[in-house]
Amino acid sequence: MPGSEKELPPQKVYPLRDIPVPSHVAPFHSDYTPGVPIALDFGKTSMRIGLVNKDSPTSVFPTVVSKSRDRKRNKMLILAGNDVYMEASNNKSNVKSPFDGQLITNWDSVETLLDYGFSHIGVSSPNGVENPIIINELLATPYMQRAGMYQLLFEAYNVPKVVSGVDAVFAYHYNTDSPNGLVIGTGHESTNVIPIVDGSAVLTYARRLDWGGNMAAQWLNSNISLKYPYFPSKISPQNAEYLVKDHCYVSTDYQKEISDYLTLETLEEKDRVIEASFMEVIKPQKTEEELQIEAEKRKESGRRLQEQARKQREEKLLQKEKEYEYYSALRANLEAGPRRDVLNSLVSEGFEDVEDFTKYLSGLEKSLKKARRQNALTGDGVEEEIEEPPSFPLIDIPDEQLDEDQVKEKRRQKLLKANMDARLKLKQEKEAAKLEELRKQEEDKKWRENDLNGWIKARRDRLTAILLSKKERKKRKEELSNRKSRTAQQRMKKIASLAADNNGKGDSNRKRRGGAVTIDNDPNDTFGANDDDWAIYRAISAGDDEEAEEEEEQELLEIEEALLEFDPTFTIEDTYKRQYDWRSSIVHRFLRGPRPYDPEEQHQAHQIHLNVERIRVPEVLFQPSIAGVDQAGVAELCEDTVLRRLPSMTGFSGDQQQELLQNVFISGGLSYFENFEERLRREFQSFLPVESNVVIRRVSDPFNDAWKGMAKWSSSQGAQTSYLTRGEYLEMGVDYIKENAMGCVKL
């Protein structure tokens, strides 16, 4: 893989396909011939209909019906087939299928679809449809389903005779004349394994897996919703079906391939980027002059931010200085007093005991030193030299000897003198910090020159400690963001307890130092003026030490720079940023593939990445438990049928078994999966004897072979004796059927 992001070529982007709008109205054919059988493949997603003397179905259209009201004419419009998607204003929520699962539940819609199909193939008989009908049905179809279809054909269309069979068996019959074989029919709602013995489908030994194209699309859609919960576009069921069809494939070795699918090398080859359509917002192109003006504004804004940060650091440093002076004076006073008075004084200041006070003061001293050091290194503070100190003649004169204007001037001089003293002290401390830093650098250099291995070990140990500290801080922040976590609840209890204690103290017990201290001259806002306020402040801010985090980050960078320079075993790949780079994140590779992600980029915000889903969805056919289906997979069903069930069948010989293994066919929509035949061949070889020879093929045209098989079988002798005539229907009722070799049996 290329070493830098600039060298990475853009990935190929596939559009999120939807149902295409027909470019023209479906034609009405005029070559209709009465008496010629009509083959009708009534599928859940599409219907294929045509006279059997044609090479292919005359009309193919989706099995959907839509109802909408024409407001201009105040009439209800019923659309079917391709006409549903020709109407641009038609709401997709009104598009309905006559199926609920595998079964037909809306027979009015079935009649509408049959009207649409018969009219488009040119049926023009005045007395109904004067053609025999060959129609498909479910494997082991329920009695009411077959009865409803026969009633509709005989009573609504007056057809002369009807015969039905299983579509997978029709597809097998079209692709081979071998009397013994095995067909695996992958339908929209289920997958069936049907043995063919002596030219007839043996339904008593057939097996079914309740997983088909619709379940695969739904499962993929749910996985995408979990993977991208805030995706701006909705993935419709039709979109999901196209994703399964266009991008999924069967893995020949699933466990091996899934183990390294999310490596960068594999993703470069197999990751698919799918982009949903959206309205792109075109940003106006700016002139060179406008860009220069914006650049100047950004620079000025940066300077202002730097100045504000400098002032904030100075204010923090001054505040810490004052606090340190106060507590240092308190410590000096306490050292000379009795122990009881010392403890009472500490409790009044918000400390538990002497140890707590000492710990806090030590931490404050360390924090102050670090702040001084940082201020010295960043170059902040006072740099100008004061050539001649200003004079403050009124400071030492009592107020009684001054008039009103001189008193005001005296106050101003006091403020100026305090400010100047603070600046001078800050400058001295800064120079001392620089000297201290130079001394430490010199000592560190001598240590490195005299004991390089020890120096490297110490740096690595410190680096490990910082990383652990960052990890713990991140974990704590995550816990604090969850109200129900134990850490967050303990923190809230502490705040509530401290606030209650603070509110319970009367004003008479409040000890103020420094007189009336206010913020922005607001007499009502006196937080910090009371010494007890510092106790609450310390307790609340203990878990949010942003300063410590910044200092750790700075120290981390310094250690990594030193190790990169002097430790030959420490490389750029070992740095903190590289370890948390997108290339190292398995979550990033799963969500965004082998490229960096920019959430502000409009195209990337409307893209999904299919990687492991490409093989996980088809793998459910072999391991249904992946999707929570408690059934055997296709390979196990085939093994049970070939090695256990069929050998127990009376008259089934070893020669027939060998012939059956030479004619294994896969039909239906899921047979389009790449590598399906190869994977199934490996599964067969795993349970068959070593010398067994198995031939597995996909039918020549999974989309139309069922219809072509009907057309081919219509001219056979078996078809002529299998028709149920209208007279037989009227005489014997819907309970009467004629069994045939294509899978129509009475159960």
Side-chain angles (χ1 to χ4, degrees), residues 8-66:
L8 296 173
Q11 287 185 277
K12 183 178 180 180
V13 178
Y14 296 85
L16 182 63
R17 286 215 297 157
D18 203 347
I19 298 176
V21 177
S23 57
H24 57 276
V25 178
F28 291 85
H29 297 270
S30 58
D31 54 352
Y32 166 71
T33 304
V36 177
I38 295 176
L40 178 59
D41 183 3
F42 200 110
K44 184 176 180 180
T45 57
S46 61
M47 181 185 293
R48 288 159 285 276
I49 185 172
L51 300 173
V52 298
N53 57 5
K54 306 291 183 181
D55 295 333
S56 60
T58 306
S59 181
V60 180
F61 52 89
T63 315
V64 291
V65 174
S66 174

Side-chain angles (χ1 to χ4, degrees), residues 120-156:
H120 278 75
I121 66 174
V123 175
S124 56
S125 304
N127 298 322
V129 180
E130 299 177 356
N131 304 72
I133 301 295
I134 305 175
I135 192 170
N136 68 310
E137 66 178 22
L138 290 173
L139 175 67
T141 186
Y143 159 75
M144 292 303 298
Q145 291 287 297
R146 185 185 291 130
M149 184 62 72
Y150 281 12
Q151 281 180 326
L152 190 61
L153 292 173
F154 281 123
E155 298 180 13

Side-chain angles (χ1 to χ4, degrees), residues 26 41 60 115 278 317 325 343 362 446 524 555 651 700 742:
D41 183 3
V60 180
D115 289 342
F278 66 99
L317 184 57
E325 289 178 2
L343 291 176
S362 175
K446 291 181 180 179
N524 296 321
E555 186 179 1
S700 57
M742 296 295 107

Side-chain angles (χ1 to χ4, degrees), residues 160-382:
K161 51 186 178 180
V162 177
V163 66
S164 59
V166 179
D167 50 3
V169 182
F170 282 125
Y172 174 88
H173 180 72
Y174 176 75
N175 282 269
T176 181
D177 293 325
S178 175
N180 299 295
L182 187 72
V183 60
I184 302 171
T186 59
H188 196 257
E189 299 290 338
S190 64
T191 298
N192 304 310
V193 177
I194 307 173
I196 312 295
V197 179
D198 293 332
S200 299
V202 186
L203 266 62
T204 53
Y205 294 148
R207 304 295 301 277
R208 179 173 65 193
L209 169 63
D210 293 327
W211 186 267
N214 183 38
M215 288 78 170
Q218 289 180 4
W219 195 54
L220 176 61
N221 202 349
S222 64
N223 285 341
I224 292 175
S225 299
L226 292 172
K227 189 174 181 179
Y228 302 98
Y230 303 109
F231 191 66
S233 299
K234 181 181 179 181
I235 308 296
S236 67
Q238 292 78 17
N239 295 144
E241 288 183 7
Y242 280 119
L243 289 176
V244 172
K245 180 179 179 182
D246 297 341
H247 303 288
C248 293
Y249 66 94
V250 174
S251 174
T252 55
D253 190 344
Y254 178 76
Q255 295 299 333
K256 179 180 179 181
E257 187 169 0
I258 198 70
S259 63
D260 63 350
Y261 210 104
L262 291 179
T263 60
L264 291 174
E265 294 75 12
T266 304
L267 289 175
E268 282 289 342
E269 178 185 356
K270 298 180 179 180
D271 184 65
R272 290 287 179 90
V273 183
I274 317 297
E275 183 174 298
S277 58
F278 66 99
M279 184 67 69
E280 185 174 4
V281 178
I282 305 298
K283 297 182 179 179
Q285 295 292 331
K286 297 182 179 180
T287 63
E288 187 68 24
E289 183 179 356
E290 291 175 335
L291 293 175
Q292 290 179 357
I293 293 174
E294 288 188 357
E296 289 297 329
K297 288 182 179 179
R298 286 195 295 268
K299 289 181 181 179
E300 182 62 27
S301 177
R303 285 192 290 268
R304 286 198 301 267
L305 291 174
Q306 289 177 357
E307 181 65 19
Q308 291 176 5
R310 183 186 67 80
K311 290 181 179 179
Q312 289 176 358
R313 282 195 295 270
E314 288 183 359
E315 290 173 359
K316 284 185 178 180
L317 184 57
L318 290 173
Q319 182 181 358
K320 287 183 178 180
E321 290 279 4
K322 292 179 181 179
E323 187 180 356
Y324 181 70
E325 289 178 2
Y326 173 74
Y327 284 117
S328 297
L330 179 63
R331 178 176 60 181
N333 294 332
L334 294 176
E335 288 177 354
R339 181 173 180 80
R340 181 184 298 275
D341 295 341
V342 169
L343 291 176
N344 291 335
S345 300
L346 292 180
V347 171
S348 65
E349 293 291 339
F351 297 100
E352 296 179 359
D353 50 26
V354 177
E355 184 180 355
D356 185 26
F357 173 71
T358 305
K359 182 179 178 182
Y360 173 73
L361 190 59
S362 175
L364 181 61
E365 185 176 3
K366 290 180 181 178
S367 176
L368 184 59
K369 288 182 179 180
K370 288 181 180 179
R372 291 171 180 169
R373 176 175 173 270
Q374 182 183 8
N375 199 37
L377 292 175
T378 54
D380 294 334
V382 182

Side-chain angles (χ1 to χ4, degrees), residues 394-502:
L394 300 179
I395 290 180
D396 297 328
I397 301 176
D399 291 350
E400 293 79 6
Q401 302 177 14
L402 303 174
D403 57 21
E404 185 177 352
D405 292 336
Q406 288 176 331
V407 170
K408 291 182 180 179
E409 178 63 22
K410 177 182 177 181
R411 292 176 182 173
R412 190 181 72 83
Q413 290 181 8
K414 281 185 176 181
L415 291 174
L416 291 175
K417 186 176 186 303
N419 186 32
M420 189 191 72
D421 292 343
R423 292 166 64 193
L424 289 175
K425 184 178 180 181
L426 187 63
K427 182 179 178 181
Q428 294 171 358
E429 291 175 352
K430 178 180 175 182
E431 292 175 352
K434 284 184 178 179
L435 294 175
E436 180 68 16
E437 182 65 24
L438 291 174
R439 185 186 64 79
K440 288 184 178 180
Q441 290 178 0
E442 188 65 26
E443 290 180 356
D444 188 71
K445 181 180 178 181
K446 291 181 180 179
W447 181 17
R448 185 175 64 246
E449 291 174 351
N450 297 331
D451 184 11
L452 180 60
N453 292 332
W455 180 87
I456 290 175
K457 183 178 183 304
R459 290 295 181 273
R460 282 185 172 269
D461 292 344
R462 179 56 185 159
L463 182 63
T464 302
I466 293 176
L467 294 177
L468 289 175
S469 176
K470 290 177 72 69
K471 185 177 180 181
E472 289 295 327
R473 184 177 289 107
K474 181 180 179 182
K475 181 180 178 181
R476 177 176 174 80
K477 285 184 177 180
E478 291 176 351
E479 291 178 348
L480 287 175
S481 64
N482 180 10
R483 294 186 310 171
K484 298 182 179 180
S485 68
R486 183 179 180 182
T487 305
Q489 291 178 357
Q490 288 179 345
R491 184 169 185 265
M492 291 304 298
K493 287 180 180 179
K494 182 184 293 185
I495 293 174
S497 176
L498 290 169
D501 293 342
N502 188 58

